[in-house]
Amino acid sequence: MYALPPGDAGGGRKGEIPMEIARKGYKLLVGGAWVDGTETMPVIDKYTGETIGDVPVASREMTDRAIGAAREAFPAWSRTPAHRRFRILEKASQLLAKHQEEIAATICREAGKAWKYSVGEVSRAVETFQFSAEEAKRIHGETVPMDASTAGEGRMGFYLRCPVGVVAAITPFNFPLNLVAHKVGPGLAAGNTLVLKPASTTPLTAIRLAEILEEAGVPGGVFNVIVGSGGTVGEWITTDPRVAKISFTGSPPVGEGIIRKAGLKKVTMELGNNSGTIIEPDADLDAAVPRCVVSAFANSGQVCISLQRLYLHKAVAREFTSRFLEATSRLKVGNPLEKDCDVGPMIDEGEARRAEAWIREAVAEGAKVLAGGKREGRVLQPTVIANARAEMKVMCQEAFAPLVCLYEYEKFEEAVRMVNDSPYGLQAGIYTNDIRKALHAVDRIDTGGVMVNDTSIFRVDHMPYGGNKMSGLGREGVRFAVEEMTNIKMVVIKP
Ligand code: NAP
């Protein structure tokens, strides 16, 4: 997902980027105590390869303790009045804002995200926590007209929304702060306790968030953060019967595996996509071209709603392509810590090699690289591909890399059909000023969101957000995450 606040690229900020993000030794937060592990794992700067932190790896026993602490803390936290939960979450939001640059530097280094987008991510997390604070005050049920049934005559009915208990949050590397915030903020607002397992490649931001939550007044045991691989810590959390809900963001195969093992736990799944956007002949190209460039290449395309398939009407395809290539050629690729960097490294070299291999495979099958295609270590140049066919990996699978395929079409209905021709269904975009076409797209495209006069990548943090088909189950966006993290309790009173 990506939406920079309009006009706020972060790159124009005054002052130097803090290079020394923190200490090298980190601890995990378990039951209100900062603890070491018997083993540690290094976290590296994704551009330089330098080790920027050593993080304890949670053992089975530590994982058990974290879940136990969350379980123990649940009765008191779930009864903590809404106004107090509001104040704690609001304070967390303020502290994130206060430490914005330092946290952005951590994101920049551990995720390899360009500075302006790292700053943008912290701004968004500030809002996500503010929305969560506000939401804490308006969690309520409603009355049910019992006498609509003859059997209900004379009874009064209403339902309450109750916290579910321990929520396990399992999060990906690409938004190490805001996607954690989307689980922790609503979870705490609703009165749940949490155990967070961040991505192994980007745990430092999550640990920093734990410090901030502690400072904001979250009581011991209510929020726990443990680090370790998905195959160990992730699986232990998934199968633990004390966990009431798993809120997962990540890849579809891992999500599917979690569902298989989770049994009857509640689950929310925020998964991948190969997002499409349509450019109709009446589109405002001045707006569409730069927005499409950002949508394809922000965070090196490692965004779940990154623009991967761009359908261009043949009447504008030539002009759009030439302007798109020109704008792409102006992107600054390299060190994410440089304030004017647009595209940094990918998360690891293996992923960059995989994307490069997909590009080569597409070329071998007849596609043409119009820009980029070259890789150096983890850095893949922003890549524009023409003549790709629907069955090529660069089109039909999630690329999660700085690459976009341009596809020319003649009929609008054909473009809508092609956007839908995907196992995924997270978000899609269409540029048109014809309301009938916009409404047709809204009606026919099977995704969790359709953006008109924007690309698939648009998101603000209070809107309902989530996917259809292989893109997931349930919705996030603070109010909607609260709904997913609460149980309905029906009360019927017979006087
Ligand atoms: P990933 O490989 O699926 O990992 C996500 C998280 O799951 C990590 O914390 C990972 O731990 C953990 N995990 C791995 N195997 C596990 C297991 N067997 N049991 C429990 N947990 C396990 O995803 P990623 O590479 O970090 O992120 C990229 C994917 O996330 C893309 O598909 C992207 O589209 C998707 N995504 C979706 C959204 C959305 O809102 N829909 C947003 C962002 C990203 P380790 O790090 O230790 O492997």
Side-chain angles (χ1 to χ4, degrees), residues 1 41 170-175 179 197-202 228-238 248-255 257-258 261 269-273 302-305 347 351 398 400 426 459 465-467 471-472 476:
M1 72 190 171
M41 64 177 198
I170 304 180
T171 52
F173 72 83
N174 62 333
F175 283 81
L179 290 180
K197 192 213 94 59
S200 299
T201 44
T202 55
S229 77
T232 56
V233 174
E235 292 224 16
W236 297 332
I237 294 175
T238 301
F248 173 78
T249 300
S251 59
V254 172
I258 288 175
K261 291 182 187 136
M269 291 280 145
E270 295 284 348
L271 309 176
N273 202 37
Q302 299 166 120
V303 181
C304 50
I305 40 185
I347 194 69
E351 277 299 291
E398 181 183 35
F400 224 58
L426 191 48
R459 181 183 186 186
Y465 178 82
S471 291
E476 288 193 338

